[in-house]
Amino acid sequence: MSEITQAACPACLTANRVSSARLGEEPKCGHCGAPLFPGAPIDLGDAEFEKFVNRTRLPVLVDFWAPWCGPCRAMAPHFERAAAQLKGKVQLVKVNTEQSPAFAMRLSIRAIPTLVLYHDGTEIKRASGALDTGELVKWAA
Ligand code: ZN
């Protein structure tokens, strides 16, 4: 028995229904054909963010970062490796707080990097400070 889950397309934000049995089979967006699970961090602005999180039934791990932040840059390759390891299980998203300052303020992001984990559009936990690949994978579980 396979369950049906839902994933927002990283490119066009269309909600796609995906059988859980097919999560590992490179499913593509029915609307635009983009891979639903790229296995890489997805860059989202504030306009796209809420749609993406609310239309995704898989856990979404978000890295709120800024280009001038040293620890953020140090964590970036770890975040990419974690995205590859968690492909089809957790969607990893990056939000540039410099481009979306009002949005970061609304979410009370005071320090960066801040990591926030969402399930079904609801924040379930957050942490401040950089993590390495293994810690990211464990934290998202
Ligand atoms: Zn799409």
Side-chain angles (χ1 to χ4, degrees):
M1 281 295 286
S2 64
E3 291 172 47
I4 300 293
T5 189
Q6 182 177 300
C9 170
C12 74
L13 305 176
T14 297
N16 283 261
R17 288 158 59 84
V18 187
S19 156
S20 59
R22 291 192 58 237
L23 288 176
E25 297 173 13
E26 311 278 343
K28 290 190 167 39
C29 174
H31 182 68
C32 76
L36 293 178
F37 309 115
I42 301 160
D43 284 296
L44 294 178
D46 50 359
E48 301 114 13
F49 181 84
E50 261 169 53
K51 284 182 188 155
F52 185 86
V53 169
N54 287 327
R55 292 172 183 174
T56 302
R57 294 287 156 266
L58 275 66
V60 179
L61 172 59
V62 188
D63 171 20
F64 291 90
W65 70 287
W68 48 264
C69 156
C72 300
R73 289 199 304 271
M75 185 170 73
H78 293 282
F79 203 72
E80 283 173 24
R81 282 196 287 273
Q85 286 186 25
L86 294 167
K87 179 175 178 167
K89 300 190 188 90
V90 181
Q91 293 284 60
L92 273 69
V93 167
K94 294 181 77 154
V95 174
N96 182 340
T97 58
E98 205 170 57
Q99 286 171 2
S100 312
F103 177 59
M105 201 175 289
R106 187 152 53 85
L107 292 181
S108 304
I109 306 296
R110 291 185 188 87
I112 50 171
T114 287
L115 297 161
V116 183
L117 188 68
Y118 290 86
H119 279 193
D120 286 334
T122 303
E123 175 178 336
I124 59 163
K125 61 177 175 176
R126 69 166 68 188
S128 293
L131 300 179
D132 69 22
T133 308
E135 290 168 334
L136 283 165
V137 169
K138 206 184 281 179
W139 196 77

